[in-house]
């Protein structure tokens, strides 16, 4: 049986290729995703290794607020640098200062995209643990000097001696490029743009005079890191700690791994989808092939082959095909990784990468998944093959017309009954395994629909096929009959497309509902006329003096900058916003039910009503808030509000923010024009002031809505591009099924040609059968997509989703694209059917 299986496998190379395509594509995407994720992780690991290779101990504050973007710590007294330097165990010690600084190119455009891409950073030039290597010019020595990274210099065409503008908290600063430096051996720190100032200048511009973020220490000869850490800790204040350089590097790696966790999961979800869709194709392919080999398998049974041997033969074939396809897919993953990187760049999500990382874990994962899915998908067809009675050997060897089957219906109902609770639990319950429950529930729903879909396949083919038959005559009639003949095959082939369309539809509904909900929030809460946006997403932003200058314009009634930071409240990390209490009420309605915003002081805080009610808080209550810079502060609840869409659970005054945070950037400024002021003239006045800030974009309310919609569409474009792979695999499945179906019906097609059917008519019949399958898959996908979309929106009601909106135009476009895709998928099978030799086809048995 082993030798027979090998001979059959290598004798029918076309069949091997047809079965391998889906798993090759899926494994390529899976391995490509893993390669990209590993490469990004290794790039950051190398970055932190480079930063820490000359540092033995790091001295830092022990006051920390943990966030998903890394730990936030307060600064420490610069006087500690001299105290540490005075220790006999210390070779050298130097302070470190860093923060937001954004370069402006020669055309006046802000460089980089801190909101969606690598950060834009400023540092103080240090002689201790400095990974920067000058390649031109000299280090900064005066208040007007700046060293920039080589990548930024090359991109914008800056040379030593050129003037350059840098956006800072104090406003745009004008400097001279004193030097250009590389980050170790790289032109930049994994894509980040860097501005390095003379140290005291950096303290004044991006830090605080007399304070440093950390102290980097190198050990004297013969002193180990642990020994040095212990000695330094003995002289430090209680709120300051020393850790080894190795610990600091490991912590930085862990922080970036946490920050990249969502991206990694995001990419792997689509890889799992591709594999999931492929499993339908492989199952369908093996089912058809086993049905076509009825005579061959029955003859083997008649000659004495046992059922176990038949199962083993089919499973061996699946194992070998899975092995070959996985190997090809693994190699193709390298190209996919590069394609994914370019795709992310194209949609504005810049992910820095270094050299390609191809790990043993990726190889094992690719082979385990590829072989495993192929073997599992072949299991049921192989058992069906073993059940073939020897007497079938004397019958006509054609695939039977199969009924929908009670067992299949029961299976579909049971899976659906189990899947829905899992899906709802993941979406609505407060559990630590939400993503796993959602994935399991969604997969179960798809499997349930796929199992039950043969019930609908026949009536759908009849209803939709009738107009086609009336319009196209005999080819249309033949296409309809072929789709009806085997509802299981029709439904299973369509199910792969159903998954892709269902996910696309659900995402489209989510995006459309998100836009509608955001527009509703803006209309309800934002009562100003303009928004000046920094595009930084809260990582840096606009200098506070922009809002001050706008408030001085006669055309402006009020302008209020909004600031953002992280704090720890009730033992959890929370976002906190800061507002100008003297102007915000004429710009934003937060639904104040208790207290007066204009009376808030630096010791007050506003709390969202639901959050306050859950903890028994009211006006006058005291709330312990721990800030990354000032530590724990006892604030008084002076405001209770009901609209949290723009400020989330908490807000404080600018005075409170400045007292407890080191950096004070406005990530947005809301502006309201004065009564009687012309809108066009007001905008022109605002833009004239904002033109001094290269990262400031002035928008009216409608443009602001459009910009948010554009951000959603940008993410949507990425999701659609990734889901397109699943749709591509589904279309390959349709083409594969049609090709195998054509082989199955070779004699029938030959007879049709013999009685007068033209090649054109035969191609048309195959083409319209493909269209019917594609439309059926699109219809099932649309139904499932609407269901998933509705469930997702309902689950996000507490997050501000107030509207459920179905984008009917997009769904119509999906239907049209399904027809086009069906025509494309049928191309090769139709051509092969039309090229059949009539006499040879009739002679086949």
């Amino acid at each position: 049986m082993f030798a027979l299986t090998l001979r059959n496998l290598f004798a029918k190379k076309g069949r091997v290729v047809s079965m391998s395509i889906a798993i090759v594509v899926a494994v390529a995407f899976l391995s490509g995703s893993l390669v990209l994720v590993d490469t990004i992780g290794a790039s950051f690991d190398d970055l932190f290794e480079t930063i820490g290779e000359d540092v033995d101990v790091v001295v830092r504050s022990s006051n920390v607020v943990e966030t998903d973007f890394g730990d936030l710590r307060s600064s420490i007294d610069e006087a500690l640098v001299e105290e540490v330097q005075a220790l006999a165990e210390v070779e050298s010690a130097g302070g470190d200062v860093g923060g937001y600084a954004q370069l402006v190119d020669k055309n006046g455009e802000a460089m980089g995209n801190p909101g969606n891409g690598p950060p834009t950073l400023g540092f103080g030039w240090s002689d201790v643990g400095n990974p920067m290597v000058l390649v031109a010019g000299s280090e900064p020595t005066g208040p007007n000097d700046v060293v920039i990274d080589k990548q930024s210099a090359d991109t914008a065409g800056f040379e030593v001696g050129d003037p350059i503008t840098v956006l800072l908290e104090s406003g745009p600063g004008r400097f001279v490029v004193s030097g250009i430096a590389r980050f170790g051996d790289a032109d930049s720190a994994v894509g980040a743009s860097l501005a390095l100032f003379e140290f005291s200048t950096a303290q004044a511009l991006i830090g605080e005079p007399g304070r440093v973020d950390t102290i980097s220490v190198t050990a004297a000869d013969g002193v180990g890191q642990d020994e040095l850490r212990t000695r330094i800790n003995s002289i430090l204040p209680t709120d300051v700690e020393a850790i080894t350089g190795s610990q600091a590097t490991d912590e930085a790696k862990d922080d970036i791994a946490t920050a990249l966790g969502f991206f990694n999961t995001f990419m792997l979800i689509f890889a799992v989808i591709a594999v999931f869709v492929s499993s339908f194709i492989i199952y369908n392919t093996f089912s058809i092939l086993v049905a076509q080999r009825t005579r061959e398998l029955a003859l083997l049974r008649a000659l004495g082959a046992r059922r176990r041997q038949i199962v083993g033969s089919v499973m061996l074939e699946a194992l070998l095909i899975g092995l070959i396809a996985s190997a090809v897919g693994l190699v193709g993953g390298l190209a996919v990784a590069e394609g994914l990187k370019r795709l992310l760049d194209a949609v504005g999500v810049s992910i820095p990468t270094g050299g390609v990382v191809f790990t043993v874990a990726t190889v094992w994962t690719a082979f385990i998944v590829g072989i495993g899915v192929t073997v599992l998908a072949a299991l049921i067809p192989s058992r069906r093959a073993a059940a073939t009675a020897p007497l079938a050997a004397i019958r006509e060897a054609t695939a039977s017309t199969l009924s929908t089957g009670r067992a299949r219906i029961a299976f579909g109902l049971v899976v659906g009954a189990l899947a829905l609770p899992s899906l709802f639990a993941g979406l609505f319950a407060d559990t630590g395994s939400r993503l796993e429950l959602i994935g399991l529930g969604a997969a179960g729903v798809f499997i349930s629909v796929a199992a039950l879909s043969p019930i609908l396949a026949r009536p759908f083919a009849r209803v939709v096929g009738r107009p086609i038959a009336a319009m196209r005559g005999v080819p249309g009639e033949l296409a309809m009959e072929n789709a009806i003949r085997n509802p299981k095959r029709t439904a299973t082939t369509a199910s792969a497309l159903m998954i892709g369309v269902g996910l696309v539809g659900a995402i489209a509904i989510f995006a459309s509902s998100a836009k509608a909900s955001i527009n509703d929030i803006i209309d309800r809460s934002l009562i100003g006329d303009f928004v000046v946006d920094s595009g930084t997403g809260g990582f840096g932003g606009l200098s506070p003096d922009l809002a001050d200058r706008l408030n001085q314009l006669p055309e402006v009634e009020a302008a209020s900058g909004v600031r953002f930071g992280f704090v720890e409240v009730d033992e959890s990390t929370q976002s906190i916003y800061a507002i100008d209490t003297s102007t915000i009420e004429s710009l934003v309605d937060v639904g104040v039910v208790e207290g007066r915003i204009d009376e808030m002081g630096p010791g007050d805080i506003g709390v969202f009503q639901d959050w306050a009610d859950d903890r028994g808080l009211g006006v006058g209550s005291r709330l312990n808030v721990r800030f990354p810079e000032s530590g724990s502060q006892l604030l008084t609840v002076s405001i209770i509000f009901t609209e949290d869409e723009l400020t989330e659970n908490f807000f404080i005054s600018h005075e409170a923010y400045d007292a407890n945070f080191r950096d004070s950037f406005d990530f947005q400024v809301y502006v309201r024009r004065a009564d009687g002021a012309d809108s066009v003239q007001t905008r022109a006045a605002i833009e004239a002031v904002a033109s001094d800030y290269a990262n400031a974009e002035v928008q009216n309310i409608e443009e602001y809505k459009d910009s948010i919609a554009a951000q959603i569409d940008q993410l949507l474009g990425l999701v659609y591009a990734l889901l397109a792979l699943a749709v591509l695999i589904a279309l390959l499945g349709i083409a594969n099924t049609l090709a195998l179906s054509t082989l199955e019906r070779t004699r029938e097609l030959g007879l049709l040609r013999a009685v007068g059917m033209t090649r054109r008519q035969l191609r048309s019949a195959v083409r319209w059968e493909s269209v019917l399958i594609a439309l059926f898959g699109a219809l099932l996908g649309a139904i499932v997509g609407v269901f998933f979309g509705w469930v997702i929106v309902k689950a996000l009601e507490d997050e501000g989703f107030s509207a459920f909106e179905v984008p009917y135009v997009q769904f119509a476009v999906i239907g049209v694209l399904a027809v086009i895709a069906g025509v494309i998928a049928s191309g090769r099978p139709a051509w092969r059917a039309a090229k059949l030799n009539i006499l040879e086809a009739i002679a086949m048995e």
Side-chain angles (χ1 to χ4, degrees):
M1 290 297 294
F2 179 78
L4 180 62
T5 299
L6 291 179
R7 280 198 296 269
N8 280 337
L9 191 65
F10 292 109
K12 300 176 180 178
K13 298 181 179 62
R15 188 172 72 191
V16 174
V17 172
S18 68
M19 286 191 289
S20 301
I21 292 175
I23 201 64
V24 165
V25 176
V27 170
F29 189 80
L30 173 63
S31 60
S33 299
L34 293 173
V35 167
L36 180 62
V37 166
D38 290 339
T39 299
I40 293 171
S43 298
F44 281 106
D45 286 350
D46 290 343
L47 167 68
F48 296 124
E49 291 284 356
T50 301
I51 293 174
E53 62 183 356
D54 296 324
V55 177
D56 294 305
V57 167
V58 174
V59 179
R60 66 188 187 185
S61 169
S62 57
N63 176 53
V64 59
V65 173
E66 298 178 353
T67 75
D68 291 337
F69 308 99
D71 294 346
L72 302 177
R73 297 178 183 271
S74 59
S75 58
I76 57 179
D77 191 341
E78 186 180 16
L80 288 173
V81 176
E82 292 186 5
E83 296 182 32
V84 171
Q85 179 68 73
L87 297 174
E89 296 85 354
V90 172
E91 172 68 25
S92 60
D96 306 304
V97 174
Y100 166 82
Q102 192 165 4
L103 304 178
V104 179
D105 66 19
K106 293 183 177 182
N107 297 318
E109 299 292 332
M111 297 180 65
N113 183 12
N116 290 324
T120 56
L121 302 172
F123 292 100
W125 187 273
S126 174
D127 294 327
V128 181
N130 187 354
M132 303 303 295
V133 179
L134 285 165
V135 294
S138 60
E139 65 185 60
T141 56
N144 297 320
D145 293 344
V146 65
V147 171
I148 64 174
D149 62 284
K150 187 175 185 299
Q151 176 177 282
S152 297
D154 292 343
T155 300
F158 283 114
E159 297 179 354
V160 173
D162 286 347
I164 187 172
T165 298
V166 183
L167 301 177
L168 304 160
E169 180 183 347
S170 58
R174 274 74 182 182
F175 302 90
V176 174
V177 177
S178 67
I180 297 172
R182 303 187 76 194
F183 186 88
D185 296 328
D187 289 348
S188 80
V190 287
S193 66
L194 305 177
L196 296 105
F197 306 94
E198 183 271 329
F199 194 80
S200 62
T201 302
Q203 287 179 300
L205 295 176
I206 57 179
E208 185 179 354
R211 309 283 291 181
V212 295
D213 296 337
T214 58
I215 302 173
S216 296
V217 186
T218 57
D221 290 342
V223 178
Q225 288 191 356
D226 291 332
E227 178 186 354
L228 181 60
R229 177 194 58 189
T230 302
R231 181 68 181 95
I232 293 175
N233 270 324
S234 69
I235 68 166
L236 295 177
T238 56
D239 59 346
V240 181
E241 64 182 10
I243 62 172
T244 66
S246 298
Q247 287 177 310
T249 299
D250 291 341
E251 285 186 10
K253 290 179 180 179
D254 290 341
D255 286 344
I256 198 64
T258 300
L260 290 173
F262 173 78
F263 170 78
N264 297 348
T265 302
F266 179 80
M267 295 302 301
L268 292 178
I269 283 174
F270 289 95
V272 170
I273 291 171
V275 172
F276 185 58
V277 173
S278 295
S279 65
F280 280 81
I281 304 303
I282 298 166
Y283 168 78
N284 199 36
T285 302
F286 269 102
S287 295
I288 295 172
L289 289 173
V290 167
Q292 290 176 356
R293 294 166 61 190
T294 300
R295 181 184 290 271
E296 172 191 332
L297 297 173
L299 283 171
L300 290 173
R301 291 279 287 120
L303 292 172
R306 299 176 181 177
R307 290 188 176 186
R308 185 176 60 185
Q309 290 177 303
I310 297 297
V311 172
S313 175
V314 176
M315 296 301 288
L316 176 61
E317 189 172 342
L319 175 65
L320 294 174
I321 290 173
L323 181 64
I324 295 169
S326 298
V328 175
L330 185 63
V331 175
L334 296 174
V336 171
E338 179 61 27
L340 290 173
K341 172 65 168 58
R342 294 186 179 184
L343 173 62
L344 292 169
D345 288 340
V347 298
V349 182
S350 181
I351 301 293
T353 57
V356 174
V357 176
F358 200 74
T359 66
V360 174
T362 296
V363 176
W364 276 110
T365 301
F367 277 107
I368 290 172
V369 171
I371 295 173
V373 169
T374 306
V375 169
L376 288 175
L379 182 60
I380 294 177
S382 70
R383 293 177 64 86
R384 188 181 299 142
T388 304
L391 290 178
I394 61 174
R395 299 173 184 169
E396 185 71 21
T398 59
S400 61
T401 300
L402 301 173
S403 64
T404 53
R406 291 182 180 180
R408 184 184 182 110
I409 294 173
F411 172 78
L413 292 174
V414 170
V415 172
L418 295 174
L420 290 176
S422 174
L423 178 65
F424 289 141
L427 288 169
F428 295 98
D430 185 12
T431 173
S433 304
R434 299 187 68 176
L435 190 61
E436 292 83 353
L437 289 171
I438 292 171
L440 186 62
V445 169
F446 280 125
I447 293 172
S448 176
V449 173
L452 297 173
S453 58
I455 300 173
L456 302 174
R458 276 198 175 115
F460 175 86
R462 286 195 177 97
V463 171
V464 179
R466 288 299 178 194
I468 296 174
M471 179 177 61
R472 301 301 300 170
V474 173
E477 185 77 25
L478 185 61
M480 180 182 67
E481 292 299 330
N482 286 336
I484 293 172
R485 176 184 300 181
N486 193 328
K488 283 186 179 180
R489 184 176 64 206
T490 299
T492 305
T493 305
S495 292
L497 183 60
M498 175 263 293
I499 297 171
V501 172
L503 293 172
V504 169
I507 296 299
I509 290 174
F510 167 81
S512 183
S513 299
K515 294 175 189 177
S517 299
I518 290 171
N519 288 344
D520 180 60
I521 291 169
I522 293 173
D523 291 337
R524 186 175 67 250
S525 302
L526 192 56
I527 53 181
D529 299 297
F530 299 96
V531 176
V532 185
D533 188 36
S534 67
T536 62
F539 299 95
L542 302 165
S543 171
D545 67 356
L546 172 59
D548 294 338
R549 291 176 61 186
L550 292 177
N551 273 314
Q552 296 171 12
L553 294 174
E555 297 90 350
V556 171
E557 177 184 323
S560 178
V562 180
R563 299 169 194 171
F564 168 85
F566 292 103
V567 296
E568 186 179 293
V569 185
D570 200 21
E571 298 184 350
S572 67
T573 301
Q574 300 278 345
S575 303
I576 194 166
Y577 290 77
I579 59 174
D580 183 344
T581 57
S582 65
T583 60
I584 194 66
E585 288 187 285
S586 62
L587 295 159
V588 176
D589 180 11
V590 294
V592 174
V593 294
E594 292 186 69
R596 289 175 56 93
I597 289 181
D598 59 358
E599 295 179 354
M600 289 183 73
D604 295 333
I605 187 171
V607 181
F608 179 55
Q609 187 175 49
D610 290 351
W611 198 93
D613 290 345
D614 289 343
R615 292 157 181 81
L617 300 176
V619 169
S621 298
R622 304 279 276 173
L623 187 63
N624 187 17
V625 180
R626 190 149 66 86
F627 294 87
E629 182 65 29
S630 61
S632 294
Q633 303 292 325
L634 208 57
L635 303 182
T636 301
V637 178
S638 62
I639 300 291
I640 300 293
F641 63 95
T642 58
E643 301 292 334
D644 67 332
E645 290 89 353
L646 297 179
T647 59
E648 299 190 37
N649 287 331
F650 310 100
F651 66 80
I652 55 177
S653 66
H654 281 173
E655 292 78 14
Y657 190 94
D658 293 341
N660 294 289
F661 286 92
R662 187 184 72 183
D663 299 323
S664 295
F665 290 98
D666 295 333
F667 75 91
Q668 287 179 335
V669 178
Y670 301 141
V671 186
R672 182 168 182 168
R673 61 188 172 92
D675 291 340
D678 179 76
S679 180
V680 175
Q681 293 178 350
T682 302
R683 178 169 189 153
I686 296 171
E687 288 178 337
V689 174
S691 63
D692 292 336
Y693 306 83
N695 60 341
E697 182 181 4
V698 180
Q699 302 168 327
N700 61 32
I701 299 304
E702 291 304 315
E703 290 170 338
Y704 179 54
K705 292 178 184 177
D706 292 341
S707 70
I708 296 177
Q711 294 174 28
I712 296 174
D713 288 338
Q714 186 180 65
L715 178 60
L716 197 63
L718 174 61
V719 172
Y720 282 165
L722 294 173
L723 284 177
L725 182 70
V727 176
L728 172 63
I729 294 173
L731 294 177
L732 290 172
I734 293 176
N736 195 30
T737 299
L738 290 173
L740 293 172
S741 179
T742 298
L743 291 174
E744 173 189 311
R745 303 196 304 266
T746 298
R747 191 173 186 219
E748 172 191 330
L749 296 176
L751 288 171
L752 290 172
R753 290 279 289 118
V755 298
M757 176 173 271
T758 65
R759 288 181 174 178
R760 182 177 180 181
Q761 287 177 314
L762 197 54
R763 285 196 300 267
S764 179
V766 175
R767 188 179 302 118
W768 281 109
E769 182 182 354
S770 177
V771 168
L772 281 173
I773 294 173
L775 282 174
F776 186 52
L779 176 63
L780 291 176
I783 295 172
V784 174
V786 170
F787 169 70
F788 279 159
W790 176 80
V791 171
I792 292 171
V793 171
K794 291 295 291 184
L796 293 173
E797 279 186 345
D798 291 341
E799 305 298 326
F801 275 66
S802 57
F804 173 73
E805 188 170 290
V806 179
Y808 295 103
V809 174
Q810 289 186 347
F811 272 76
V813 170
I814 290 172
V816 173
L817 291 177
V819 173
I820 296 173
V823 171
I824 295 173
S826 68
R828 182 168 177 79
W831 177 82
R832 290 183 63 182
K835 294 291 287 183
L836 287 173
N837 182 288
I838 297 175
L839 294 178
E840 290 180 358
I842 294 174
M844 288 188 66
E845 296 184 2

